[in-house]
Amino acid sequence: MFEVTIEESFAAGHALRNYHGKCENVHGHNYRCHVTIEGSHLDEIGLLVDFVALKKIVHTVLDRMDHQWLNDLPPFDAINPSAENMAKHIYDQVVEGFRDKPEVRVSSVRLWETDLASVTYRP
């Protein structure tokens, strides 16, 4: 099994609804995001997936979130913009981007809110 991982970053603001503590207030993060793809078969030139193609798909998701107020952005206008919900949303969107490549699978999305705090989503 091969794994390919990229790291990208974006900045966004949010406030957690129904949370009692500092994070219920308006604040922002400089997020770091790892997306890992896996598969067992390489293409004719020896790649599982081209890093450029993976980054393009991930950027289509993260660019919509970058420098945004997440609470107003679907789906976070309906669900809390927690790191957990954000990681799953990123995962779901990247899966859509790979719909035409059944030989690869999105393995995980890891999202850091700070240098010391992250969440990982795996299906």
Side-chain angles (χ1 to χ4, degrees):
M1 183 69 64
F2 297 94
E3 287 186 341
V4 174
T5 301
I6 57 125
E7 178 177 319
E8 296 294 333
S9 61
F10 66 101
H14 70 157
L16 295 180
R17 298 176 199 94
N18 301 314
Y19 180 87
H20 303 291
K22 291 192 313 185
C23 293
E24 69 185 313
N25 299 319
V26 171
H27 65 286
H29 299 281
N30 293 316
Y31 293 95
R32 276 183 24 233
C33 183
H34 280 189
V35 176
T36 301
I37 305 297
E38 68 179 17
S40 57
H41 296 89
L42 303 181
D43 67 13
E44 62 279 354
I45 63 169
L47 301 177
L48 177 63
V49 64
D50 185 348
F51 285 119
V52 173
L54 176 54
K55 287 183 177 197
K56 183 177 179 182
I57 289 169
V58 171
H59 271 280
T60 62
V61 179
L62 300 185
D63 287 352
R64 283 184 247 137
M65 298 166 68
D66 190 31
H67 285 82
Q68 297 296 315
W69 174 246
L70 296 175
N71 293 62
D72 291 342
L73 187 70
F76 307 112
D77 56 344
I79 63 172
N80 232 353
S82 66
E84 293 87 347
N85 283 335
M86 291 171 64
K88 183 175 184 320
H89 170 72
I90 294 165
Y91 173 90
D92 291 343
Q93 295 300 303
V94 173
V95 165
E96 282 297 309
F98 278 102
R99 215 173 348 149
D100 63 339
K101 287 189 66 89
E103 66 276 12
V104 300
R105 184 178 87 78
V106 182
S107 163
S108 66
V109 170
R110 186 169 185 185
L111 185 66
W112 279 264
E113 278 195 347
T114 71
D115 290 340
L116 303 174
S118 70
V119 62
T120 301
Y121 178 77
R122 284 184 200 93

